[in-house]
Amino acid sequence: MFTSPLQLTEAPSIADRDTISKRESGVTEKSPMRLRMEAFIKEKQNEIVAALQELDPSHKFRTDTWSRPAGGGGISCVQQDGHVFEKAGVNTSIVYGTLPRPAIEKMRVNHKAIDPDVDSLEFFAAGLSLVLHPQNPNAPTVHLNYRYFETMDQDGKCNAWWFGGGTDLTPSYLYDEDTIHFHKCIKDACDKHDRAYYPRFKQWCDKYFYIPHRQESRGVGGIFFDDLDVEEKDQEQLFSFVKDCLGSFLPGYLPIITRRKDMPFEEREKEWQQLRRGRYVEFNLVHDRGTSFGLNTPSARVESILMSLPLTARWMYMHEAEKGSREERILTVLKQPVEWLITGTSSGFGQHLVQLVLDAGDIAVATARDPSALSFRNTTPENYLPLKLDVTSASDIESAFSLTLEKFKRVDVVVNNAGYGLSGPFEELEDKHVRTQMEVNFFGLMAVTKKAMEVMREQRPSGGLIQQVTSIGGQNGVPNFSIYCASKWAVEGFTESVSHEVKPEWKIKFQIIEPGGFRTDWSGRSMVFAAKRHPAYEHLDARKKAEGRHHQQAGDPIKGAKAMYELAVMENPPLRVVIGTDAYQAVMKKINAYSEDYKKYEQISNSTDVDQ
């Protein structure tokens, strides 16, 4: 009997075998990493979309599921023209394909495990990408992408693998508390795995999300990493790291969008947002490697790739932000981080302020008499410089500014925080201590201020802020602090006078910070007392008084430093501000007393003019 020959069928592809495995056995911790990553990003996609949907229940996400001929596919979840988001997209993508030899040779630069002798190689890629463009110009755009890539033999055995990803924030208007919160959430996730990750990946992010033709950053940064493979850590450790980073997104962004989404805004602010969206488009279409890779992948789903672009954007010919405006401030930050030089950073306000500056993504020059003792988180050679500075030494001051300019090219904020505490009745105080008090608190501050003014006037663009940390004692004399208060009153009078001497075009601003009592070491180990008691002053015991107040004050030094930071970066910073409830109550009491006394003796005050 005649029979036809047997029909041979092709062996199932890796994608087919993975599909069968998922259907029959599910995905477990023993499954290949590619299947575990796929399951994880789909789980997080559902979680994120659900959280975003709660912000605007009336505008539902559109969900499109699509497949690729060679295997894999994706899920695109997009919301457009909602109350909260002009456009929001959360996509997952699974790609199976074949790498040609040129691509293999290129990848071997970073991944030596890839076989160099093959002409083609199977690959797998899985990623979750997200871009949210809010309606309100006060709310920042945010981007996120975490991905996994591996190459495989014909039987599906992994040949080489790596993880990549990151997240970054792109505001149209700068809110420092938003930036600090966003970065803190990312940093906490990084620190769980490696304390070097955050500064390393933050720097990578700053370099990657830069628009060369505009000479500005796309936003205020975040983290970015790529090609993390076995040379970095083992696969399980890196998978855990990626999971924690992705898990930090909602806690990092939801509080920001919640407090900004309903803020009032004007049409000109909406126009500015559209201009900034134009910058976003420029980066994504011209410089983003992910967009380029996606568009050049065979059978690419273009709609999902370009999901990252905003619904609307704007370009204006030769647009310039108004001087001193909120728009100019964000442009200044994007073109260059704010460079701070802070004195007295070994403890107290100075120490906390340096950390806030670093956490905000700015540059900190931290000075102290012994800089070897300084230690801060999130430091890199690009954002931190510890320097020796005794404010009573002219050579130290000259050297500190010279080294700062050599490394960072400019100085934007100088904080005169170094100080000397001296307590006791006036007649008990030794002359050497009185002179040291004035040398440090007044003459040293004056010398630093003089150099700062010179630098800020001559740098281009010119300008900057000089923040003088005085005390409520600069407004209100109190027992046991006569010389201390004198030094602070001197700073107040000096600073106010100099602020009226500078030309407006120099753009040099001054600010006097008057703290009350804070729980620092100022009234503890940092305080100097008289060596001998004076018999006439048995009613005043400065040491006992200080010991009783030490760490019992109302003020939290971290909150105090935060207030100093926020005041320094204001568009129009005030000349004089008290910080602390006790300081506020004391200065208001003093103002009222002044008012009563001056009015009481008004007739005498106005009786001394020359007779007309």
Side-chain angles (χ1 to χ4, degrees), residues 354 358 362-366 371 374-376 378-386 407-408:
V354 170
L358 294 169
D362 290 339
I363 295 169
V365 176
L374 300 178
S375 178
F376 299 98
N378 306 339
T379 61
T380 70
E382 286 71 31
N383 72 357
Y384 174 68
L385 179 64
K407 186 173 180 65
F408 299 120

mmCIF file of all heavy atoms in Angstrom, residues 354 358 362-366 371 374-376 378-386 407-408:
data_model
loop_
_atom_site.group_PDB
_atom_site.id
_atom_site.type_symbol
_atom_site.label_atom_id
_atom_site.label_comp_id
_atom_site.label_asym_id
_atom_site.label_seq_id
_atom_site.Cartn_x
_atom_site.Cartn_y
_atom_site.Cartn_z
ATOM 1 N N VAL A 354 24.532 70.445 55.014
ATOM 2 C CA VAL A 354 25.319 69.778 53.962
ATOM 3 C C VAL A 354 24.589 68.551 53.452
ATOM 4 O O VAL A 354 24.492 68.308 52.244
ATOM 5 C CB VAL A 354 26.719 69.394 54.473
ATOM 6 C CG1 VAL A 354 27.432 68.480 53.471
ATOM 7 C CG2 VAL A 354 27.560 70.633 54.724
ATOM 8 N N LEU A 358 23.193 67.790 49.580
ATOM 9 C CA LEU A 358 23.556 66.602 48.808
ATOM 10 C C LEU A 358 22.323 65.811 48.402
ATOM 11 O O LEU A 358 22.205 65.345 47.267
ATOM 12 C CB LEU A 358 24.514 65.728 49.607
ATOM 13 C CG LEU A 358 25.893 66.324 49.886
ATOM 14 C CD1 LEU A 358 26.641 65.480 50.912
ATOM 15 C CD2 LEU A 358 26.706 66.437 48.600
ATOM 16 N N ASP A 362 22.298 68.996 44.856
ATOM 17 C CA ASP A 362 23.187 70.135 44.677
ATOM 18 C C ASP A 362 24.625 69.749 45.016
ATOM 19 O O ASP A 362 24.916 68.606 45.363
ATOM 20 C CB ASP A 362 22.733 71.298 45.559
ATOM 21 C CG ASP A 362 21.427 71.915 45.079
ATOM 22 O OD1 ASP A 362 21.090 71.731 43.897
ATOM 23 O OD2 ASP A 362 20.737 72.564 45.886
ATOM 24 N N ILE A 363 25.517 70.736 44.956
ATOM 25 C CA ILE A 363 26.941 70.538 45.226
ATOM 26 C C ILE A 363 27.284 71.180 46.563
ATOM 27 O O ILE A 363 26.900 72.325 46.825
ATOM 28 C CB ILE A 363 27.791 71.161 44.108
ATOM 29 C CG1 ILE A 363 27.541 70.432 42.785
ATOM 30 C CG2 ILE A 363 29.270 71.145 44.463
ATOM 31 C CD1 ILE A 363 28.128 71.140 41.582
ATOM 32 N N ALA A 364 28.006 70.455 47.407
ATOM 33 C CA ALA A 364 28.345 70.959 48.734
ATOM 34 C C ALA A 364 29.858 71.027 48.930
ATOM 35 O O ALA A 364 30.548 70.020 48.765
ATOM 36 C CB ALA A 364 27.727 70.076 49.821
ATOM 37 N N VAL A 365 30.341 72.215 49.275
ATOM 38 C CA VAL A 365 31.701 72.365 49.781
ATOM 39 C C VAL A 365 31.556 72.519 51.291
ATOM 40 O O VAL A 365 31.025 73.520 51.775
ATOM 41 C CB VAL A 365 32.409 73.588 49.171
ATOM 42 C CG1 VAL A 365 33.786 73.781 49.793
ATOM 43 C CG2 VAL A 365 32.527 73.425 47.660
ATOM 44 N N ALA A 366 31.961 71.491 52.015
ATOM 45 C CA ALA A 366 31.809 71.457 53.469
ATOM 46 C C ALA A 366 33.138 71.825 54.111
ATOM 47 O O ALA A 366 34.150 71.162 53.869
ATOM 48 C CB ALA A 366 31.363 70.073 53.927
ATOM 49 N N PRO A 371 38.664 68.901 58.444
ATOM 50 C CA PRO A 371 37.761 68.271 57.463
ATOM 51 C C PRO A 371 37.876 66.758 57.421
ATOM 52 O O PRO A 371 36.976 66.087 56.897
ATOM 53 C CB PRO A 371 38.203 68.890 56.136
ATOM 54 C CG PRO A 371 39.619 69.297 56.350
ATOM 55 C CD PRO A 371 39.702 69.709 57.791
ATOM 56 N N LEU A 374 34.853 64.925 58.789
ATOM 57 C CA LEU A 374 33.544 65.071 58.157
ATOM 58 C C LEU A 374 33.125 63.783 57.459
ATOM 59 O O LEU A 374 33.953 63.105 56.846
ATOM 60 C CB LEU A 374 33.569 66.214 57.140
ATOM 61 C CG LEU A 374 33.917 67.606 57.680
ATOM 62 C CD1 LEU A 374 33.935 68.612 56.545
ATOM 63 C CD2 LEU A 374 32.930 68.029 58.762
ATOM 64 N N SER A 375 31.850 63.464 57.543
ATOM 65 C CA SER A 375 31.323 62.263 56.890
ATOM 66 C C SER A 375 29.865 62.494 56.519
ATOM 67 O O SER A 375 29.046 62.832 57.374
ATOM 68 C CB SER A 375 31.441 61.061 57.830
ATOM 69 O OG SER A 375 30.886 59.901 57.232
ATOM 70 N N PHE A 376 29.560 62.325 55.223
ATOM 71 C CA PHE A 376 28.202 62.529 54.736
ATOM 72 C C PHE A 376 27.814 61.420 53.769
ATOM 73 O O PHE A 376 28.678 60.764 53.185
ATOM 74 C CB PHE A 376 28.083 63.886 54.024
ATOM 75 C CG PHE A 376 28.384 65.060 54.908
ATOM 76 C CD1 PHE A 376 29.636 65.657 54.888
ATOM 77 C CD2 PHE A 376 27.431 65.544 55.785
ATOM 78 C CE1 PHE A 376 29.933 66.724 55.716
ATOM 79 C CE2 PHE A 376 27.711 66.612 56.621
ATOM 80 C CZ PHE A 376 28.962 67.203 56.590
ATOM 81 N N ASN A 378 25.835 60.046 50.255
ATOM 82 C CA ASN A 378 25.545 60.458 48.869
ATOM 83 C C ASN A 378 26.638 61.330 48.255
ATOM 84 O O ASN A 378 26.357 62.141 47.374
ATOM 85 C CB ASN A 378 24.209 61.218 48.787
ATOM 86 C CG ASN A 378 23.065 60.453 49.385
ATOM 87 O OD1 ASN A 378 23.132 59.238 49.518
ATOM 88 N ND2 ASN A 378 22.012 61.148 49.758
ATOM 89 N N THR A 379 27.862 61.191 48.728
ATOM 90 C CA THR A 379 28.923 62.030 48.179
ATOM 91 C C THR A 379 29.601 61.352 47.001
ATOM 92 O O THR A 379 29.771 60.135 46.962
ATOM 93 C CB THR A 379 29.984 62.341 49.243
ATOM 94 O OG1 THR A 379 30.588 61.117 49.696
ATOM 95 C CG2 THR A 379 29.376 63.073 50.425
ATOM 96 N N THR A 380 29.976 62.169 46.028
ATOM 97 C CA THR A 380 30.792 61.735 44.895
ATOM 98 C C THR A 380 31.824 62.836 44.659
ATOM 99 O O THR A 380 31.668 63.961 45.160
ATOM 100 C CB THR A 380 29.955 61.544 43.616
ATOM 101 O OG1 THR A 380 29.536 62.848 43.137
ATOM 102 C CG2 THR A 380 28.736 60.678 43.870
ATOM 103 N N PRO A 381 32.864 62.560 43.888
ATOM 104 C CA PRO A 381 33.821 63.628 43.563
ATOM 105 C C PRO A 381 33.175 64.788 42.810
ATOM 106 O O PRO A 381 33.709 65.894 42.810
ATOM 107 C CB PRO A 381 34.852 62.907 42.680
ATOM 108 C CG PRO A 381 34.767 61.468 43.084
ATOM 109 C CD PRO A 381 33.319 61.245 43.393
ATOM 110 N N GLU A 382 32.021 64.527 42.203
ATOM 111 C CA GLU A 382 31.355 65.567 41.417
ATOM 112 C C GLU A 382 30.433 66.449 42.242
ATOM 113 O O GLU A 382 30.007 67.501 41.781
ATOM 114 C CB GLU A 382 30.535 64.929 40.275
ATOM 115 C CG GLU A 382 31.374 64.403 39.123
ATOM 116 C CD GLU A 382 32.152 63.154 39.488
ATOM 117 O OE1 GLU A 382 31.649 62.394 40.334
ATOM 118 O OE2 GLU A 382 33.243 62.950 38.933
ATOM 119 N N ASN A 383 30.059 66.018 43.468
ATOM 120 C CA ASN A 383 29.095 66.825 44.226
ATOM 121 C C ASN A 383 29.566 67.224 45.623
ATOM 122 O O ASN A 383 28.813 67.859 46.368
ATOM 123 C CB ASN A 383 27.746 66.095 44.335
ATOM 124 C CG ASN A 383 27.784 64.899 45.288
ATOM 125 O OD1 ASN A 383 28.821 64.551 45.840
ATOM 126 N ND2 ASN A 383 26.639 64.271 45.470
ATOM 127 N N TYR A 384 30.810 66.903 45.965
ATOM 128 C CA TYR A 384 31.225 67.131 47.353
ATOM 129 C C TYR A 384 32.712 67.431 47.433
ATOM 130 O O TYR A 384 33.531 66.784 46.765
ATOM 131 C CB TYR A 384 30.902 65.883 48.181
ATOM 132 C CG TYR A 384 31.413 65.915 49.610
ATOM 133 C CD1 TYR A 384 30.883 66.804 50.545
ATOM 134 C CD2 TYR A 384 32.422 65.040 50.024
ATOM 135 C CE1 TYR A 384 31.343 66.816 51.856
ATOM 136 C CE2 TYR A 384 32.887 65.059 51.341
ATOM 137 C CZ TYR A 384 32.347 65.947 52.250
ATOM 138 O OH TYR A 384 32.799 65.969 53.539
ATOM 139 N N LEU A 385 33.036 68.424 48.252
ATOM 140 C CA LEU A 385 34.439 68.781 48.477
ATOM 141 C C LEU A 385 34.609 69.210 49.927
ATOM 142 O O LEU A 385 34.086 70.256 50.332
ATOM 143 C CB LEU A 385 34.857 69.915 47.539
ATOM 144 C CG LEU A 385 36.303 70.414 47.677
ATOM 145 C CD1 LEU A 385 37.294 69.315 47.315
ATOM 146 C CD2 LEU A 385 36.525 71.648 46.808
ATOM 147 N N PRO A 386 35.313 68.418 50.756
ATOM 148 C CA PRO A 386 35.600 68.837 52.139
ATOM 149 C C PRO A 386 36.885 69.663 52.176
ATOM 150 O O PRO A 386 37.893 69.281 51.579
ATOM 151 C CB PRO A 386 35.768 67.497 52.868
ATOM 152 C CG PRO A 386 36.275 66.558 51.813
ATOM 153 C CD PRO A 386 35.759 67.035 50.491
ATOM 154 N N LYS A 407 37.464 73.598 41.173
ATOM 155 C CA LYS A 407 36.736 72.338 40.953
ATOM 156 C C LYS A 407 35.348 72.554 40.366
ATOM 157 O O LYS A 407 34.941 71.846 39.437
ATOM 158 C CB LYS A 407 36.616 71.567 42.271
ATOM 159 C CG LYS A 407 36.002 70.186 42.119
ATOM 160 C CD LYS A 407 36.065 69.411 43.425
ATOM 161 C CE LYS A 407 35.451 68.017 43.282
ATOM 162 N NZ LYS A 407 36.210 67.162 42.357
ATOM 163 N N PHE A 408 34.612 73.543 40.896
ATOM 164 C CA PHE A 408 33.206 73.697 40.511
ATOM 165 C C PHE A 408 32.917 74.970 39.701
ATOM 166 O O PHE A 408 31.774 75.186 39.287
ATOM 167 C CB PHE A 408 32.317 73.657 41.744
ATOM 168 C CG PHE A 408 32.403 72.360 42.511
ATOM 169 C CD1 PHE A 408 32.827 72.342 43.831
ATOM 170 C CD2 PHE A 408 32.088 71.168 41.903
ATOM 171 C CE1 PHE A 408 32.911 71.157 44.541
ATOM 172 C CE2 PHE A 408 32.170 69.965 42.603
ATOM 173 C CZ PHE A 408 32.583 69.954 43.923
#
